[in-house]
Amino acid sequence: MGGLLSRAFGGAREVSPRQEMKEAIAYFVVLMIHADGSVGDDEVNVAMGTLARCRLFSDNTNQEDFALLTRMERKMQQDADGLTGHYAQVLAQDGWKYTAAAILSDIMLSDGDIDQDEVRLLKMLCDRAGITEDELDAIVATVRAMRRAWTN
């Protein structure tokens, strides 16, 4: 009774591994956008642009990416703690943890201000996904250098 009836009545739905990975990255993108307490246009624009360039999302339209971010935002408001642990495990198991850390670093750096809540979120994801502090430092430094090259 779990499959068709559950979906028809709003219960749990089966998700492909590819879709679950998209949801995991989108979930952490939403957390990062909200981490500093405000949702800035720079962060949203960088998030949408980054997802559009990410091969994982290449079969999505901008509207589908935005709908996914909106759905993840609703999920975050319902069960942030449980989903954070679950999606961190998804990223760690499927090898997308470094990609996710780079995407979140880009969003964190997008408004020019690095908020301590953003740093805490990024470190928490890395800790749960198995990224060392040295690896995170290298990722952030690389993203910062790329942003500098793009803007100069």
Side-chain angles (χ1 to χ4, degrees), residues 42-143:
D42 289 338
E43 293 168 323
V44 173
N45 290 336
V46 166
M48 292 298 295
T50 300
L51 294 183
R53 288 188 312 271
C54 185
R55 186 179 64 218
L56 180 67
F57 291 85
S58 64
D59 57 340
N60 283 24
T61 65
N62 281 342
Q63 291 88 353
E64 289 169 325
D65 288 345
F66 190 75
L68 178 59
L69 291 175
T70 302
R71 192 168 69 248
M72 291 299 105
E73 185 175 42
R74 282 193 307 270
K75 281 185 157 189
M76 176 193 75
Q77 293 165 349
Q78 295 169 356
D79 182 23
D81 293 334
L83 289 173
T84 299
H86 169 72
Y87 284 136
Q89 288 178 340
V90 169
L91 293 173
Q93 291 173 0
D94 291 335
W96 283 84
K97 61 186 178 182
Y98 298 110
T99 302
I103 290 170
L104 296 182
S105 296
D106 195 28
I107 294 168
M108 176 181 73
L109 296 168
S110 67
D111 62 3
D113 296 320
I114 299 174
D115 185 86
Q116 288 307 306
D117 290 327
E118 293 172 330
V119 172
R120 272 193 289 281
L121 172 63
L122 189 54
K123 286 184 176 183
M124 180 275 304
L125 166 65
C126 291
D127 183 53
R128 289 185 179 190
I131 298 174
T132 68
E133 195 164 326
D134 287 343
E135 290 172 322
L136 176 59
D137 289 345
I139 290 167
V140 172
T142 300
V143 171

